[in-house]
Amino acid sequence: MELLSVQGRGALFTICVFLIAVIIVHITKLALIGWRAYKKREPKKQEEKTEAQEPVYYLVEKKKKTSPQYKKPKKFKFQK
C-alpha cells in the first residue's frame, strides 16, 4: 500500500530539503553573531588596570585659516 504518489513524495522531499536548508542557515547566522559577541568581550583583568591609571589630556591647537591668494586671470584672444 503506497501512501503517497511519486509527485507527493517529490513535494514532501522538496519541502524537507528546504526546511533543513533554512534551519542550517539560521543556525550558522546565530553562531556567527555569538562568536562576534564573544570576541568583542574584554577580560575583567584589563578593565581593572585601566581604572587605576590617571586620565591623559591632550592640548590641541587649531590652525588658522589663511585667505587664499589668487593670480590675475589670463586673457584669451580669439581669432575671427
Side-chain angles (χ1 to χ4, degrees), residues 66-70:
T66 58
S67 60
Q69 296 178 357
Y70 298 107

Side-chain angles (χ1 to χ4, degrees), residues 19 24-25 29 33 37-38 40 47-48 59 64 80:
L19 289 176
I24 289 173
V25 167
K29 283 186 176 184
I33 291 170
Y38 178 74
K40 287 183 181 179
E47 291 176 4
E48 293 173 0
L59 297 174
K64 294 182 181 179
K80 290 185 180 181

Side-chain angles (χ1 to χ4, degrees), residues 39-70:
K39 286 273 191 169
K40 287 183 181 179
R41 186 175 52 170
E42 297 178 6
K44 294 180 181 178
K45 293 179 183 178
Q46 290 180 355
E47 291 176 4
E48 293 173 0
K49 291 179 183 178
T50 56
E51 290 176 6
Q53 295 177 354
E54 294 183 18
V56 178
Y57 299 100
Y58 296 100
L59 297 174
V60 179
E61 295 181 10
K62 292 185 178 180
K63 293 182 179 179
K64 294 182 181 179
K65 292 184 179 179
T66 58
S67 60
Q69 296 178 357
Y70 298 107

Side-chain angles (χ1 to χ4, degrees), residues 11-41:
L12 183 64
F13 179 74
T14 305
I15 291 171
C16 289
V17 169
F18 177 75
L19 289 176
I20 291 170
V22 168
I23 290 170
I24 289 173
V25 167
H26 282 80
I27 287 173
T28 54
K29 283 186 176 184
L30 288 173
L32 282 174
I33 291 170
W35 182 256
R36 289 178 187 154
Y38 178 74
K39 286 273 191 169
K40 287 183 181 179
R41 186 175 52 170

